Amino acid sequence: MLPYNDPYTQVILLGFVVFCLPGMHNAISGMGAYGIDAAKDANIVNNANTALGAIFAVSSLVAGGLFNLVGHRWLLFFGGLSYTLYISSYFAWGFIHSAPFIVVAAILLGLGAGCLWCAQGAIMMGYPSEGDKGKYIGVFWAIFNTGAVLGGFIPMGIQWNDPDAKTISNPVFIVFLSITVVGAFLSLLLLPAHKVVRADGTPAAKIKFSSASTEATAILNLFKDWRMLALFPMFFTSNWFYGYQLNLNGLNQPNSIRTRSFDSASYWGAQVIASLLFARLLDNPNWTRRTRARYGFFVLAALLIIVYAGGIAFQSTIGIGNGGFKDYDMVNTTGEWIKFWLLFFGYGATDALFQGYAYWIMGALSNDIHVVARYVGFYKFAQNIGGCLYGQVSNSPIGNNATHPENAVGKGMGELFVCIALIALSLICAAPVVFKAIQETSVETAEETIEKEKQEYAAEAEV
């Protein structure tokens, strides 16, 4: 059995924290419109997601510095409680129909989620040794998304005998809220970073005292780093496709919670499987790290082309001009539903590969947990700029939003084409980092570390 202060033990525990928090959030969002009536209330969700994404973007950038100042446990705890509040706002919608409550909760979740995901990313990429980064990312991603898988089965099990249900029931919301509270307090069991020790006796993170001015300078310097700028489109796109795909689930099964729930569980289950398989490729000891980076790039690109070709074929059969969205049910219209299910499963798998590869690239650029924390903050900053803009595209004339179907142009195909264009741009811009910047090792020598610290102290003194 691994000791409690082993990095792998801590990342597994972190996985269960996120299992209970974003995992439950993803389970509900995966059903489309957070379990409320997707056909009637998609507009409310899109507006809330815009507010969430805007605040999430700013807080992520700041959270990279906060991680180095206050550590990860309080960031995770605060972030955890914000997920509880956000889910409760949709629970309350069934009683008070308060859109302002949802928007305020979205703003607070933006603050909390920025803190939680920055702390998570720094630990996941900063604790492992160079040869284990793919493994740590894959295992974390699998545990995290298992939460969404089980979360998807909760409403399906409770509401199986109600095939006409359009929203999830109050008992289901209560179960989700209880799990998120457990997750928030579970985060307090994680050890401080400097107490985590690898199997070879080296600390996973050295004690490093920072200041607000040092962190502010370091964060601003990320906007001058060509590698971060080249990866910006990939970071920007990494949550964009979620909105399109998850709304598609709600729009095609508006009257069947059991089908939406099963599809949601399958979507996140695909992410579990894909993340574990991709980790084996990215950590393959028979290849150099540069070779693994290139193989990972080509595998990701090939699978994205295959899946999104299927997405174009499916989108062309729905939307305005083709009789509107379908009303699938996994029991009553199995033959039609299974086609969508296969596509949705493929979407989930490629999403895991896309985000997992982005994390792996960042981890390959540095082993310093303090540097990685800032990278993750920049990543979530860019990611959530994309997330907050997506909702407005969905509400636009080219979107899939069923609330205003009379405005849709091209059967909603424009929204999918925007997604595909962003993915293509992401891969093109990331290629120079993959083929040039990733080296065989990013371990700094003692002399380099000392020189780096001297420069940091000098910069701080000038301020």
Side-chain angles (χ1 to χ4, degrees), residues 96-121:
I96 60 176
H97 280 68
S98 175
F101 181 22
I102 292 178
V103 173
V104 170
I107 291 171
L108 292 175
L109 177 60
L111 293 171
C115 294
L116 182 143
W117 281 108
C118 180
Q120 169 272 327

Side-chain angles (χ1 to χ4, degrees), residues 206 366-368 371 441-449 452:
K206 63 181 180 179
S366 178
N367 291 326
D368 187 330
V371 173
T441 180
S442 53
V443 175
E444 297 170 335
T445 66
E447 292 77 11
E448 289 173 331
T449 301
K452 183 178 176 181

Side-chain angles (χ1 to χ4, degrees), residues 102-222:
I102 292 178
V103 173
V104 170
I107 291 171
L108 292 175
L109 177 60
L111 293 171
C115 294
L116 182 143
W117 281 108
C118 180
Q120 169 272 327
I123 292 172
M124 183 181 70
M125 294 187 295
Y127 279 7
S129 57
E130 288 194 334
D132 289 331
K133 295 204 175 188
K135 169 186 166 184
Y136 277 56
I137 293 170
V139 168
F140 167 83
W141 212 255
I143 296 173
F144 154 46
N145 283 308
T146 300
V149 173
L150 297 180
F153 285 128
I154 290 171
M156 187 180 80
I158 294 176
Q159 297 180 249
W160 178 263
N161 292 321
D162 187 7
D164 297 322
K166 297 181 181 180
T167 62
I168 61 177
S169 64
N170 293 341
V172 173
F173 268 118
I174 292 171
V175 171
F176 280 127
L177 288 170
S178 300
I179 294 172
T180 60
V181 172
V182 171
F185 283 93
L186 188 62
S187 67
L188 299 178
L189 298 180
L190 289 163
L191 293 175
H194 66 273
K195 292 185 178 180
V196 179
V197 181
R198 298 191 181 103
D200 61 4
T202 59
K206 63 181 180 179
I207 299 177
K208 184 175 180 181
F209 299 100
S210 188
S211 68
S213 59
T214 298
E215 292 303 320
T217 301
I219 291 170
L220 290 175
N221 284 337
L222 293 175

Side-chain angles (χ1 to χ4, degrees), residues 216-230 375 378:
T217 301
I219 291 170
L220 290 175
N221 284 337
L222 293 175
F223 291 89
K224 303 176 184 178
D225 187 332
W226 75 268
R227 301 168 303 175
M228 292 296 106
L229 296 178
Y375 286 170
F378 187 84

Side-chain angles (χ1 to χ4, degrees), residues 147-374:
V149 173
L150 297 180
F153 285 128
I154 290 171
M156 187 180 80
I158 294 176
Q159 297 180 249
W160 178 263
N161 292 321
D162 187 7
D164 297 322
K166 297 181 181 180
T167 62
I168 61 177
S169 64
N170 293 341
V172 173
F173 268 118
I174 292 171
V175 171
F176 280 127
L177 288 170
S178 300
I179 294 172
T180 60
V181 172
V182 171
F185 283 93
L186 188 62
S187 67
L188 299 178
L189 298 180
L190 289 163
L191 293 175
H194 66 273
K195 292 185 178 180
V196 179
V197 181
R198 298 191 181 103
D200 61 4
T202 59
K206 63 181 180 179
I207 299 177
K208 184 175 180 181
F209 299 100
S210 188
S211 68
S213 59
T214 298
E215 292 303 320
T217 301
I219 291 170
L220 290 175
N221 284 337
L222 293 175
F223 291 89
K224 303 176 184 178
D225 187 332
W226 75 268
R227 301 168 303 175
M228 292 296 106
L229 296 178
L231 291 171
F232 187 92
M234 189 176 204
F235 297 169
F236 178 92
T237 306
S238 59
N239 261 10
W240 182 285
F241 38 62
Y242 275 146
Y244 168 75
Q245 294 163 8
L246 301 184
N247 280 342
L248 207 60
N249 185 29
L251 291 169
N252 282 294
Q253 287 88 218
N255 299 311
S256 181
I257 278 291
R258 66 183 181 186
T259 304
R260 286 160 63 184
S261 300
F262 183 80
D263 288 350
S264 174
S266 300
Y267 180 90
W268 302 113
Q271 297 217 11
V272 172
I273 297 168
S275 62
L276 291 174
L277 292 176
F278 203 41
R280 294 175 66 87
L281 183 151
L282 295 176
D283 280 347
N284 191 318
N286 298 318
W287 301 330
T288 66
R289 183 158 71 171
R290 299 187 73 179
T291 299
R292 284 178 272 142
R294 295 172 183 184
Y295 283 175
F297 182 87
F298 292 132
V299 168
L300 174 62
L303 291 176
L304 285 168
I305 291 170
I306 293 170
V307 170
Y308 278 87
I312 293 173
F314 178 80
Q315 181 72 44
S316 66
T317 68
I318 63 174
I320 307 305
N322 282 318
F325 292 97
K326 310 302 180 183
D327 191 3
Y328 299 133
D329 181 81
M330 62 188 297
V331 176
N332 299 325
T333 58
T334 306
E336 290 297 314
W337 162 77
I338 197 69
K339 299 173 186 177
F340 172 74
W341 181 85
L342 289 171
L343 173 64
F344 205 53
F345 189 90
Y347 277 149
T350 52
D351 293 354
L353 301 185
F354 194 94
Q355 292 208 60
Y357 191 61
Y359 273 115
W360 187 85
I361 291 174
M362 288 186 285
L365 295 177
S366 178
N367 291 326
D368 187 330
I369 193 171
H370 305 283
V371 173
V372 167
R374 299 179 194 121

